[in-house]
Amino acid sequence: MEPHVPVAELPEPAERSPRGLSSEEARRRLAEHGPNTVGAPRRHRALRLLLTQFTSPIVLILIGATVVSMLLGDLTDGLVILVIIAASGLLGFFQERTAGRAVDALLARVRVEVEVVRDGSEVSVPSEDVVPGDLVVLRAGDVIPADCRVVESHGLQVDESALSGESFPVEKSPDPSPPQAAAGAAVAGRTGTLFAGTHVAGGSGAAVVLRTGGDTEFGALTAELAARDVTTGFERGLTRFGMMLVRVMAVLVCLIFAVNLLLDRPVVEAVLFSLALAVGLTPQLLPAIVAVSLSSGARRMAAEQVIVKRLDAIEDFGAMTVLCTDKTGTLTGGVVRLDGAYDVDGGDSAEVLRLAGLNAGLQHGFANPLDQAILRGTPPPDPSARLDEVPYDFERRRISVLALDGGVPTLVTKGALEEVLGVCASARAGGALVPVASVRAAVLRRLAELSAAGYRVLGLATAELPGRERVSAADEAGMTLTGLLAFRDPPKEGAAGAVAELGALGVSVRLVTGDNRPAAEHVAGEVGLAGPALTGAEIDRLDDAALAARARDTQVFAEIAPLQKERVVRALRAAGETVGFLGDGINDSPALHAADVGISVDTAVDVAKRSAAIVLLDKNLGVVADGVRLGRQTFANTLKYVRVTTSANFGNMASMAAAAAFLPFLPMLPRQILLLNFLSDIPATTIAADAVDEEQVERPSAWDLRRIRAFMIGFGVLSSLFDIATFLVLRLGFDAGADLFRTGWFIESTATELAVMLVLRTRRPFFRSRPGKALVWSSALVALVTVAVPFTPLAGPLGLVAPPPAVLAALAGLTLLYVAVNEAAKRFLPVT
C-alpha cells in the first residue's frame, strides 16, 4: 500500500484553470479515479451480501458436517440439507438486495450537490461526481466535497471539528500551508488546505480538488472507524438479542448432543440433528426481515415526505421522546417579512431600509430569509457598488459590507442589536449625531417591546471609510447606529395542532432558538409550549448535571449559540430522553450529530443535510408526527417477527430435545427441521407490510430484552406443551412409527407456527385485528404446501409419508385448540 502523502505536499492536478475542467475531461477522470464516495464499490455489494447469507458460524458448521455425512455415504440426506440451506440463503439475499435498491433510490432524492466550474461556467454536480482537478466554488453552508487546496478566499472560514475536534472555525487563504504542518497533524495548521467532511462556516472562496473518495483524510478516518465496534441503538438491541439466543442455543445443543450420544446414536447423525436444531432456533432470516421491514418502512415514510438516509434511524425515530426544533419553518411559516425599518427615534425610515438593502443585496456569504425579506421591500442595489465584505459568523453575530454610497466607501453593518450596539460610538437621533450611551436605554426598551410582540430585531450601523477598498472585522468599531429592522414570521397554520399531536404520541417538543427570550416565549406560547425560557447565558452557568435537571422540564431555550444547542441535546439525553433534533442551518450540525436521530430538510444547507439521518421533503411538524408513527409501525412489525418466531422455534426445539430422550428414533430428521424453518419464514417476509394496531404506535418503543425473553419462554413453553400433546396423540392414539410420527409432527409444527403468527401479532383478540393481505395469503399457501408435500414425490427424499385422514383431522383439531389457548394466554403473558 502506498504511503499517505500529506495534502500540503501534493502537486496540483494538471489542466487546472479559471475555466475549470471540460466536461469530457471530468468524465475521463471520474472513470479513472472512481466516484467521490467512501466505502465499498457498489459493484461488490451484491456478491458480499450473498456471501453473508452463508457465513454465520452455525450454518458453516452445519454445511461442514453435512459434507462429512455425504462423504460417509449419506448422499441423499446431505443434498437435501444443502438445497434447503441454499434456498433459505437465496431468499434472504433477494429480500435484502431488493430492500437495498429501494433505499438507494430514496437516497438519490436527497443528494448533496456541489458547485464546480466546468467548461468555464459554474454548474451543480452530485458530490460523488467531483474529480481531482475540479475547481470548486464554496459558500457558507457548503460541505467540502474532497481534499482541496484554496485558490481564492473572501473571509473563508471552515469548521473542521469533524476531523480536528476544534470547535472554532479556521480561516483559510490561498497561502500554502507551512512545511512543518505537513509532517505534523493531518489538519491543524494547514491554512491553505481544505478537507473532505468539513464545511464552510462563513465567507466564500474557491479551491482545486486534490484527492477524492477513500484517498482523502476523511476516507482514511472512516476506514479506521469502520474497523472499530461503533453501533447504533438498534444494532445494540439486535446484538443483545442475538447473544441471548446464543446462550439458549448452546445449552440446548450441548444437552441434545449428550443425550443422543448416551442413546448410542451415530455421532454424525447426532451432530447433524443438534446443529439442525441450532439453526431451527435461530431466526435465520432475521437480517433479511429487518432489512425488508426497515426498507418498506422507508418507502412508506417517503410517501409521507420523509426520507430515511440511515435505516436503523427508524427505530430511534419511533423511540423518540423529545424533539428539539428551531421555530423558522416548523413552528412558524418560514416566510419572513420585514414589518418595519425604524430610525433610532422609532419612526419609519426609508433611509434605514435603503441602507439595509445595500447590506442584503451586496453580501455574497449565503442567502438567508432575512435578506430576502429586506430585498422584497427595496430595489436591489447596483452590484458595482460592492467593494468588500466581512462575512457573518456566530461569534460576532453580524455581517458588514463595504459599498460605495454616494461615491464614498461606507461600511454598512447589520446584525443582532446588542452586538451592533457594542461596535457603535454614536447614534443618529433627532436629526443629529449623539453619543450612543444617551439612546441605549431607549433602544433596548424598544427591543424588548418588539420582541415581546414576536418580532426579531436587528440593528443597523454605518461608518464612512474614505479611500478604503478592503475591510476586516477590526473595522467594525466607532460606528454610528442608524436604525432597527423588525421582522415577523407568524406561527404556521396547524403548528399548534402538530405540537399537540406529537405530545399525544409521547413526544415532547422543545423550542431551541437563537432569538431573544421575549420573542422565543411569544412564539412558543402561540403554539402551546409553556413555561419560562432558559437562556444561553444561564446554560453557561450550569454544569452538565444541573443542565440535565433543568432541561428535563424546560420547553423553551432562547438566545442559544450553536455549541449550546449541542449541550442542550446532550443534557436531554443524559436526563434519559431519546432526542431528535430538527435543524437546517450551518450552526445545527453539532446538535444533529449529538442527537439520537438528526432530522433535516431537503432545502437545508449541505452540512445539515449530510449530518442528518432523516431528511424531510416538507419542513412541517405534522410530517414529523407522520414519520414517528410510521417509524413505530416499522419497528412493531420487526418485533412481531422476533417475538413470534423465537417463541415458536424455542418451543419446537425444546420439544424435540425432550422427545429425543424418550423416542427410539430421532423425532425429526435434520432436513425436516431445516425445511420447517424455511417454510415458516416465508410468510414472515411479508410482515413488513402487516397492519399495525393503533395502540402499538401510541407510545415510544424500543428493544426490551426482558419482555422478549419472557415472551419467548412463556409462549415457547405453551408451544412445547402442545408439541407433547401431539407426540402423545401420534404415539398412543395412532401407534405412529418413525416416518408417520415425523410427518405428523412436521405438519403440526408448521401449522401451529403459521397460526400463532396471526394470533400473537396483536394484543387484541386476533379476529378484531385485520392482518396484512400478504401475510394471510402467504400463510395459507405455506399451510397447503406443508399438507401436500407428504403426498408428492418429494416425500421420499424428505423422509415423509402420506398421513391417514384421521391423523390430519387430529392435527387440525390440535392446531385449533392451540390457537384458542394462545388467544386466552395473551391476557396473562406480555404480547407487546
Side-chain angles (χ1 to χ4, degrees), residues 284-329:
Q284 195 172 351
L285 285 185
L286 180 59
I289 299 300
V290 168
V292 171
S293 184
L294 294 181
S295 65
S296 175
R299 287 195 299 272
R300 285 183 289 147
M301 292 171 77
E304 299 296 332
Q305 305 298 296
V306 180
I307 302 297
V308 180
K309 290 175 57 185
R310 198 188 74 236
L311 285 183
D312 51 35
I314 290 178
E315 189 271 347
D316 293 320
F317 207 27
M320 186 167 62
T321 58
V322 167
L323 174 66
C324 296
T325 179
D326 197 354
K327 63 182 179 61
T328 304

mmCIF file of all heavy atoms in Angstrom, residues 284-329:
data_model
loop_
_atom_site.group_PDB
_atom_site.id
_atom_site.type_symbol
_atom_site.label_atom_id
_atom_site.label_comp_id
_atom_site.label_asym_id
_atom_site.label_seq_id
_atom_site.Cartn_x
_atom_site.Cartn_y
_atom_site.Cartn_z
ATOM 1 N N GLN A 284 -33.192 -17.409 11.234
ATOM 2 C CA GLN A 284 -32.175 -17.315 10.182
ATOM 3 C C GLN A 284 -32.416 -16.151 9.228
ATOM 4 O O GLN A 284 -31.492 -15.563 8.687
ATOM 5 C CB GLN A 284 -32.130 -18.636 9.409
ATOM 6 C CG GLN A 284 -30.904 -18.813 8.530
ATOM 7 C CD GLN A 284 -30.838 -20.219 7.951
ATOM 8 O OE1 GLN A 284 -31.605 -21.088 8.323
ATOM 9 N NE2 GLN A 284 -29.917 -20.426 7.038
ATOM 10 N N LEU A 285 -33.669 -15.817 9.015
ATOM 11 C CA LEU A 285 -33.974 -14.728 8.086
ATOM 12 C C LEU A 285 -34.061 -13.373 8.781
ATOM 13 O O LEU A 285 -34.497 -12.401 8.173
ATOM 14 C CB LEU A 285 -35.296 -15.006 7.361
ATOM 15 C CG LEU A 285 -35.267 -16.066 6.252
ATOM 16 C CD1 LEU A 285 -36.620 -16.129 5.566
ATOM 17 C CD2 LEU A 285 -34.191 -15.760 5.234
ATOM 18 N N LEU A 286 -33.637 -13.296 10.062
ATOM 19 C CA LEU A 286 -33.762 -12.029 10.776
ATOM 20 C C LEU A 286 -33.085 -10.872 10.049
ATOM 21 O O LEU A 286 -33.689 -9.808 9.917
ATOM 22 C CB LEU A 286 -33.219 -12.169 12.204
ATOM 23 C CG LEU A 286 -33.294 -10.892 13.054
ATOM 24 C CD1 LEU A 286 -34.734 -10.410 13.178
ATOM 25 C CD2 LEU A 286 -32.689 -11.124 14.432
ATOM 26 N N PRO A 287 -31.838 -10.997 9.538
ATOM 27 C CA PRO A 287 -31.254 -9.869 8.808
ATOM 28 C C PRO A 287 -32.102 -9.440 7.615
ATOM 29 O O PRO A 287 -32.280 -8.243 7.368
ATOM 30 C CB PRO A 287 -29.889 -10.407 8.359
ATOM 31 C CG PRO A 287 -29.573 -11.494 9.332
ATOM 32 C CD PRO A 287 -30.896 -12.130 9.649
ATOM 33 N N ALA A 288 -32.625 -10.445 6.890
ATOM 34 C CA ALA A 288 -33.460 -10.108 5.733
ATOM 35 C C ALA A 288 -34.772 -9.481 6.170
ATOM 36 O O ALA A 288 -35.244 -8.512 5.568
ATOM 37 C CB ALA A 288 -33.737 -11.361 4.899
ATOM 38 N N ILE A 289 -35.381 -10.033 7.238
ATOM 39 C CA ILE A 289 -36.651 -9.486 7.724
ATOM 40 C C ILE A 289 -36.455 -8.051 8.195
ATOM 41 O O ILE A 289 -37.256 -7.157 7.898
ATOM 42 C CB ILE A 289 -37.211 -10.346 8.877
ATOM 43 C CG1 ILE A 289 -37.482 -11.775 8.407
ATOM 44 C CG2 ILE A 289 -38.479 -9.719 9.440
ATOM 45 C CD1 ILE A 289 -38.471 -11.877 7.282
ATOM 46 N N VAL A 290 -35.361 -7.811 8.928
ATOM 47 C CA VAL A 290 -35.082 -6.460 9.397
ATOM 48 C C VAL A 290 -34.876 -5.521 8.208
ATOM 49 O O VAL A 290 -35.434 -4.421 8.168
ATOM 50 C CB VAL A 290 -33.839 -6.457 10.313
ATOM 51 C CG1 VAL A 290 -33.369 -5.032 10.579
ATOM 52 C CG2 VAL A 290 -34.150 -7.150 11.629
ATOM 53 N N ALA A 291 -34.084 -5.947 7.211
ATOM 54 C CA ALA A 291 -33.819 -5.103 6.045
ATOM 55 C C ALA A 291 -35.103 -4.804 5.280
ATOM 56 O O ALA A 291 -35.358 -3.658 4.888
ATOM 57 C CB ALA A 291 -32.810 -5.777 5.125
ATOM 58 N N VAL A 292 -35.918 -5.841 5.078
ATOM 59 C CA VAL A 292 -37.172 -5.655 4.336
ATOM 60 C C VAL A 292 -38.123 -4.760 5.114
ATOM 61 O O VAL A 292 -38.753 -3.853 4.571
ATOM 62 C CB VAL A 292 -37.824 -7.019 4.041
ATOM 63 C CG1 VAL A 292 -39.219 -6.830 3.463
ATOM 64 C CG2 VAL A 292 -36.971 -7.808 3.067
ATOM 65 N N SER A 293 -38.224 -5.013 6.422
ATOM 66 C CA SER A 293 -39.135 -4.228 7.244
ATOM 67 C C SER A 293 -38.719 -2.762 7.263
ATOM 68 O O SER A 293 -39.552 -1.865 7.078
ATOM 69 C CB SER A 293 -39.157 -4.793 8.672
ATOM 70 O OG SER A 293 -40.103 -4.119 9.461
ATOM 71 N N LEU A 294 -37.425 -2.506 7.452
ATOM 72 C CA LEU A 294 -36.962 -1.127 7.510
ATOM 73 C C LEU A 294 -37.059 -0.436 6.151
ATOM 74 O O LEU A 294 -37.447 0.727 6.062
ATOM 75 C CB LEU A 294 -35.526 -1.081 8.019
ATOM 76 C CG LEU A 294 -35.310 -1.517 9.475
ATOM 77 C CD1 LEU A 294 -33.846 -1.399 9.852
ATOM 78 C CD2 LEU A 294 -36.162 -0.706 10.431
ATOM 79 N N SER A 295 -36.718 -1.158 5.068
ATOM 80 C CA SER A 295 -36.796 -0.523 3.742
ATOM 81 C C SER A 295 -38.243 -0.284 3.342
ATOM 82 O O SER A 295 -38.561 0.725 2.712
ATOM 83 C CB SER A 295 -36.091 -1.371 2.695
ATOM 84 O OG SER A 295 -36.748 -2.610 2.511
ATOM 85 N N SER A 296 -39.122 -1.208 3.720
ATOM 86 C CA SER A 296 -40.547 -0.995 3.455
ATOM 87 C C SER A 296 -41.048 0.219 4.226
ATOM 88 O O SER A 296 -41.794 1.057 3.705
ATOM 89 C CB SER A 296 -41.343 -2.241 3.852
ATOM 90 O OG SER A 296 -42.728 -2.015 3.723
ATOM 91 N N GLY A 297 -40.610 0.313 5.487
ATOM 92 C CA GLY A 297 -40.964 1.489 6.267
ATOM 93 C C GLY A 297 -40.415 2.750 5.649
ATOM 94 O O GLY A 297 -41.084 3.792 5.624
ATOM 95 N N ALA A 298 -39.190 2.681 5.126
ATOM 96 C CA ALA A 298 -38.578 3.853 4.495
ATOM 97 C C ALA A 298 -39.368 4.286 3.273
ATOM 98 O O ALA A 298 -39.557 5.479 3.025
ATOM 99 C CB ALA A 298 -37.132 3.546 4.113
ATOM 100 N N ARG A 299 -39.856 3.309 2.496
ATOM 101 C CA ARG A 299 -40.658 3.665 1.309
ATOM 102 C C ARG A 299 -41.981 4.316 1.718
ATOM 103 O O ARG A 299 -42.415 5.299 1.117
ATOM 104 C CB ARG A 299 -40.916 2.420 0.457
ATOM 105 C CG ARG A 299 -39.695 1.919 -0.296
ATOM 106 C CD ARG A 299 -40.073 0.933 -1.387
ATOM 107 N NE ARG A 299 -40.724 -0.254 -0.863
ATOM 108 C CZ ARG A 299 -40.089 -1.339 -0.460
ATOM 109 N NH1 ARG A 299 -38.761 -1.375 -0.495
ATOM 110 N NH2 ARG A 299 -40.745 -2.392 -0.014
ATOM 111 N N ARG A 300 -42.614 3.767 2.750
ATOM 112 C CA ARG A 300 -43.870 4.367 3.220
ATOM 113 C C ARG A 300 -43.628 5.756 3.797
ATOM 114 O O ARG A 300 -44.437 6.668 3.609
ATOM 115 C CB ARG A 300 -44.526 3.464 4.257
ATOM 116 C CG ARG A 300 -45.203 2.226 3.644
ATOM 117 C CD ARG A 300 -45.910 1.407 4.705
ATOM 118 N NE ARG A 300 -44.942 0.739 5.562
ATOM 119 C CZ ARG A 300 -45.131 0.501 6.858
ATOM 120 N NH1 ARG A 300 -46.213 0.924 7.445
ATOM 121 N NH2 ARG A 300 -44.217 -0.128 7.566
ATOM 122 N N MET A 301 -42.499 5.926 4.485
ATOM 123 C CA MET A 301 -42.181 7.241 5.025
ATOM 124 C C MET A 301 -41.892 8.233 3.905
ATOM 125 O O MET A 301 -42.229 9.412 4.007
ATOM 126 C CB MET A 301 -41.008 7.133 5.997
ATOM 127 C CG MET A 301 -41.367 6.373 7.276
ATOM 128 S SD MET A 301 -39.964 5.989 8.342
ATOM 129 C CE MET A 301 -39.671 7.584 9.100
ATOM 130 N N ALA A 302 -41.268 7.758 2.822
ATOM 131 C CA ALA A 302 -41.002 8.634 1.687
ATOM 132 C C ALA A 302 -42.306 9.148 1.081
ATOM 133 O O ALA A 302 -42.379 10.293 0.622
ATOM 134 C CB ALA A 302 -40.170 7.905 0.638
ATOM 135 N N ALA A 303 -43.320 8.297 1.078
ATOM 136 C CA ALA A 303 -44.628 8.723 0.570
ATOM 137 C C ALA A 303 -45.225 9.824 1.432
ATOM 138 O O ALA A 303 -46.082 10.582 0.982
ATOM 139 C CB ALA A 303 -45.583 7.531 0.508
ATOM 140 N N GLU A 304 -44.764 9.917 2.689
ATOM 141 C CA GLU A 304 -45.221 10.964 3.602
ATOM 142 C C GLU A 304 -44.187 12.089 3.718
ATOM 143 O O GLU A 304 -44.154 12.815 4.712
ATOM 144 C CB GLU A 304 -45.489 10.358 4.989
ATOM 145 C CG GLU A 304 -46.571 9.287 5.013
ATOM 146 C CD GLU A 304 -47.940 9.828 4.642
ATOM 147 O OE1 GLU A 304 -48.173 11.031 4.873
ATOM 148 O OE2 GLU A 304 -48.758 9.053 4.118
ATOM 149 N N GLN A 305 -43.316 12.208 2.704
ATOM 150 C CA GLN A 305 -42.338 13.291 2.619
ATOM 151 C C GLN A 305 -41.209 13.172 3.642
ATOM 152 O O GLN A 305 -40.634 14.173 4.075
ATOM 153 C CB GLN A 305 -43.035 14.664 2.788
ATOM 154 C CG GLN A 305 -44.173 14.914 1.825
ATOM 155 C CD GLN A 305 -43.686 14.915 0.374
ATOM 156 O OE1 GLN A 305 -42.897 15.762 -0.012
ATOM 157 N NE2 GLN A 305 -44.159 13.995 -0.418
ATOM 158 N N VAL A 306 -40.878 11.930 4.037
ATOM 159 C CA VAL A 306 -39.793 11.692 4.988
ATOM 160 C C VAL A 306 -38.807 10.713 4.344
ATOM 161 O O VAL A 306 -39.177 9.566 4.067
ATOM 162 C CB VAL A 306 -40.315 11.112 6.322
ATOM 163 C CG1 VAL A 306 -39.154 10.872 7.283
ATOM 164 C CG2 VAL A 306 -41.350 12.044 6.945
ATOM 165 N N ILE A 307 -37.572 11.151 4.109
ATOM 166 C CA ILE A 307 -36.551 10.305 3.513
ATOM 167 C C ILE A 307 -35.605 9.819 4.611
ATOM 168 O O ILE A 307 -35.022 10.626 5.341
ATOM 169 C CB ILE A 307 -35.738 11.050 2.435
ATOM 170 C CG1 ILE A 307 -36.675 11.568 1.337
ATOM 171 C CG2 ILE A 307 -34.674 10.133 1.840
ATOM 172 C CD1 ILE A 307 -37.392 10.496 0.574
ATOM 173 N N VAL A 308 -35.459 8.511 4.720
ATOM 174 C CA VAL A 308 -34.583 7.916 5.727
ATOM 175 C C VAL A 308 -33.232 7.622 5.080
ATOM 176 O O VAL A 308 -33.149 6.801 4.172
ATOM 177 C CB VAL A 308 -35.199 6.620 6.304
ATOM 178 C CG1 VAL A 308 -34.270 6.009 7.343
ATOM 179 C CG2 VAL A 308 -36.562 6.910 6.912
ATOM 180 N N LYS A 309 -32.180 8.288 5.547
ATOM 181 C CA LYS A 309 -30.843 8.073 4.984
ATOM 182 C C LYS A 309 -30.148 6.878 5.624
ATOM 183 O O LYS A 309 -29.316 6.235 5.003
ATOM 184 C CB LYS A 309 -29.987 9.324 5.194
ATOM 185 C CG LYS A 309 -30.411 10.528 4.356
ATOM 186 C CD LYS A 309 -29.587 11.749 4.705
ATOM 187 C CE LYS A 309 -28.107 11.509 4.522
ATOM 188 N NZ LYS A 309 -27.290 12.655 4.966
ATOM 189 N N ARG A 310 -30.438 6.626 6.897
ATOM 190 C CA ARG A 310 -29.817 5.507 7.609
ATOM 191 C C ARG A 310 -30.934 4.674 8.215
ATOM 192 O O ARG A 310 -31.665 5.117 9.097
ATOM 193 C CB ARG A 310 -28.913 6.044 8.727
ATOM 194 C CG ARG A 310 -27.896 5.051 9.253
ATOM 195 C CD ARG A 310 -27.158 5.572 10.471
ATOM 196 N NE ARG A 310 -28.010 5.553 11.653
ATOM 197 C CZ ARG A 310 -28.272 6.603 12.417
ATOM 198 N NH1 ARG A 310 -27.774 7.781 12.106
ATOM 199 N NH2 ARG A 310 -29.044 6.495 13.478
ATOM 200 N N LEU A 311 -31.110 3.438 7.707
ATOM 201 C CA LEU A 311 -32.290 2.650 8.046
ATOM 202 C C LEU A 311 -32.466 2.437 9.544
ATOM 203 O O LEU A 311 -33.590 2.471 10.045
ATOM 204 C CB LEU A 311 -32.240 1.295 7.334
ATOM 205 C CG LEU A 311 -32.544 1.316 5.837
ATOM 206 C CD1 LEU A 311 -32.528 -0.090 5.279
ATOM 207 C CD2 LEU A 311 -33.870 1.987 5.551
ATOM 208 N N ASP A 312 -31.367 2.193 10.279
ATOM 209 C CA ASP A 312 -31.540 1.910 11.697
ATOM 210 C C ASP A 312 -32.022 3.135 12.474
ATOM 211 O O ASP A 312 -32.375 3.028 13.642
ATOM 212 C CB ASP A 312 -30.252 1.357 12.321
ATOM 213 C CG ASP A 312 -29.043 2.214 12.011
ATOM 214 O OD1 ASP A 312 -29.192 3.440 11.944
ATOM 215 O OD2 ASP A 312 -27.952 1.651 11.840
ATOM 216 N N ALA A 313 -32.041 4.320 11.830
ATOM 217 C CA ALA A 313 -32.584 5.506 12.483
ATOM 218 C C ALA A 313 -34.089 5.412 12.649
ATOM 219 O O ALA A 313 -34.673 6.157 13.446
ATOM 220 C CB ALA A 313 -32.228 6.760 11.683
ATOM 221 N N ILE A 314 -34.749 4.516 11.894
ATOM 222 C CA ILE A 314 -36.195 4.360 12.015
ATOM 223 C C ILE A 314 -36.563 3.974 13.438
ATOM 224 O O ILE A 314 -37.537 4.471 14.015
ATOM 225 C CB ILE A 314 -36.719 3.325 11.006
ATOM 226 C CG1 ILE A 314 -36.621 3.892 9.577
ATOM 227 C CG2 ILE A 314 -38.153 2.925 11.313
ATOM 228 C CD1 ILE A 314 -37.075 2.944 8.504
ATOM 229 N N GLU A 315 -35.771 3.062 14.040
ATOM 230 C CA GLU A 315 -36.047 2.652 15.419
ATOM 231 C C GLU A 315 -35.905 3.836 16.363
ATOM 232 O O GLU A 315 -36.735 4.055 17.242
ATOM 233 C CB GLU A 315 -35.108 1.515 15.817
ATOM 234 C CG GLU A 315 -35.447 0.863 17.147
ATOM 235 C CD GLU A 315 -34.785 1.512 18.348
ATOM 236 O OE1 GLU A 315 -33.865 2.327 18.140
ATOM 237 O OE2 GLU A 315 -35.192 1.212 19.474
ATOM 238 N N ASP A 316 -34.847 4.644 16.161
ATOM 239 C CA ASP A 316 -34.657 5.821 17.011
ATOM 240 C C ASP A 316 -35.776 6.832 16.795
ATOM 241 O O ASP A 316 -36.212 7.506 17.737
ATOM 242 C CB ASP A 316 -33.303 6.478 16.705
ATOM 243 C CG ASP A 316 -32.134 5.594 17.110
ATOM 244 O OD1 ASP A 316 -32.223 4.958 18.171
ATOM 245 O OD2 ASP A 316 -31.154 5.534 16.362
ATOM 246 N N PHE A 317 -36.248 6.956 15.558
ATOM 247 C CA PHE A 317 -37.357 7.866 15.252
ATOM 248 C C PHE A 317 -38.605 7.438 16.024
ATOM 249 O O PHE A 317 -39.302 8.271 16.609
ATOM 250 C CB PHE A 317 -37.612 7.828 13.740
ATOM 251 C CG PHE A 317 -38.212 9.096 13.193
ATOM 252 C CD1 PHE A 317 -38.005 10.311 13.803
ATOM 253 C CD2 PHE A 317 -38.972 9.065 12.038
ATOM 254 C CE1 PHE A 317 -38.546 11.481 13.290
ATOM 255 C CE2 PHE A 317 -39.520 10.221 11.504
ATOM 256 C CZ PHE A 317 -39.303 11.432 12.135
ATOM 257 N N GLY A 318 -38.881 6.141 16.001
ATOM 258 C CA GLY A 318 -40.055 5.647 16.721
ATOM 259 C C GLY A 318 -39.906 5.735 18.224
ATOM 260 O O GLY A 318 -40.896 5.884 18.946
ATOM 261 N N ALA A 319 -38.652 5.627 18.724
ATOM 262 C CA ALA A 319 -38.415 5.654 20.171
ATOM 263 C C ALA A 319 -38.265 7.078 20.702
ATOM 264 O O ALA A 319 -38.134 7.276 21.915
ATOM 265 C CB ALA A 319 -37.156 4.854 20.493
ATOM 266 N N MET A 320 -38.302 8.067 19.834
ATOM 267 C CA MET A 320 -38.064 9.458 20.224
ATOM 268 C C MET A 320 -39.068 9.930 21.270
ATOM 269 O O MET A 320 -40.269 9.737 21.132
ATOM 270 C CB MET A 320 -38.146 10.338 18.976
ATOM 271 C CG MET A 320 -37.770 11.791 19.189
ATOM 272 S SD MET A 320 -37.544 12.654 17.606
ATOM 273 C CE MET A 320 -39.195 12.500 16.894
ATOM 274 N N THR A 321 -38.546 10.561 22.321
ATOM 275 C CA THR A 321 -39.408 11.117 23.371
ATOM 276 C C THR A 321 -39.357 12.638 23.408
ATOM 277 O O THR A 321 -40.245 13.271 23.978
ATOM 278 C CB THR A 321 -39.002 10.579 24.755
ATOM 279 O OG1 THR A 321 -37.624 10.915 25.010
ATOM 280 C CG2 THR A 321 -39.170 9.069 24.813
ATOM 281 N N VAL A 322 -38.307 13.227 22.825
ATOM 282 C CA VAL A 322 -38.157 14.682 22.793
ATOM 283 C C VAL A 322 -37.732 15.099 21.392
ATOM 284 O O VAL A 322 -36.848 14.474 20.794
ATOM 285 C CB VAL A 322 -37.108 15.168 23.815
ATOM 286 C CG1 VAL A 322 -36.729 16.616 23.552
ATOM 287 C CG2 VAL A 322 -37.635 15.031 25.231
ATOM 288 N N LEU A 323 -38.366 16.140 20.861
ATOM 289 C CA LEU A 323 -37.971 16.720 19.579
ATOM 290 C C LEU A 323 -37.561 18.161 19.810
ATOM 291 O O LEU A 323 -38.380 18.987 20.230
ATOM 292 C CB LEU A 323 -39.106 16.655 18.562
ATOM 293 C CG LEU A 323 -38.830 17.383 17.232
ATOM 294 C CD1 LEU A 323 -37.695 16.694 16.479
ATOM 295 C CD2 LEU A 323 -40.088 17.436 16.367
ATOM 296 N N CYS A 324 -36.297 18.473 19.555
ATOM 297 C CA CYS A 324 -35.806 19.841 19.637
ATOM 298 C C CYS A 324 -35.875 20.464 18.242
ATOM 299 O O CYS A 324 -35.448 19.837 17.269
ATOM 300 C CB CYS A 324 -34.363 19.871 20.136
ATOM 301 S SG CYS A 324 -34.147 19.250 21.806
ATOM 302 N N THR A 325 -36.378 21.680 18.159
ATOM 303 C CA THR A 325 -36.518 22.313 16.852
ATOM 304 C C THR A 325 -36.382 23.815 16.965
ATOM 305 O O THR A 325 -36.679 24.408 18.011
ATOM 306 C CB THR A 325 -37.887 21.976 16.224
ATOM 307 O OG1 THR A 325 -38.012 22.633 14.961
ATOM 308 C CG2 THR A 325 -39.032 22.404 17.122
ATOM 309 N N ASP A 326 -35.875 24.433 15.905
ATOM 310 C CA ASP A 326 -35.928 25.879 15.781
ATOM 311 C C ASP A 326 -37.355 26.244 15.408
ATOM 312 O O ASP A 326 -38.184 25.364 15.142
ATOM 313 C CB ASP A 326 -34.928 26.341 14.718
ATOM 314 C CG ASP A 326 -34.628 27.838 14.810
ATOM 315 O OD1 ASP A 326 -35.274 28.522 15.620
ATOM 316 O OD2 ASP A 326 -33.760 28.314 14.059
ATOM 317 N N LYS A 327 -37.648 27.522 15.377
ATOM 318 C CA LYS A 327 -39.030 27.903 15.090
ATOM 319 C C LYS A 327 -39.278 28.167 13.610
ATOM 320 O O LYS A 327 -40.377 27.923 13.109
ATOM 321 C CB LYS A 327 -39.428 29.136 15.893
ATOM 322 C CG LYS A 327 -38.630 30.396 15.585
ATOM 323 C CD LYS A 327 -39.069 31.549 16.472
ATOM 324 C CE LYS A 327 -38.273 32.792 16.187
ATOM 325 N NZ LYS A 327 -38.429 33.284 14.796
ATOM 326 N N THR A 328 -38.253 28.624 12.875
ATOM 327 C CA THR A 328 -38.474 29.070 11.500
ATOM 328 C C THR A 328 -38.825 27.906 10.589
ATOM 329 O O THR A 328 -38.049 26.964 10.422
ATOM 330 C CB THR A 328 -37.221 29.791 10.961
ATOM 331 O OG1 THR A 328 -36.890 30.860 11.844
ATOM 332 C CG2 THR A 328 -37.484 30.346 9.573
ATOM 333 N N GLY A 329 -40.007 27.974 10.001
ATOM 334 C CA GLY A 329 -40.434 26.966 9.039
ATOM 335 C C GLY A 329 -41.096 25.754 9.667
ATOM 336 O O GLY A 329 -41.730 24.973 8.960
#
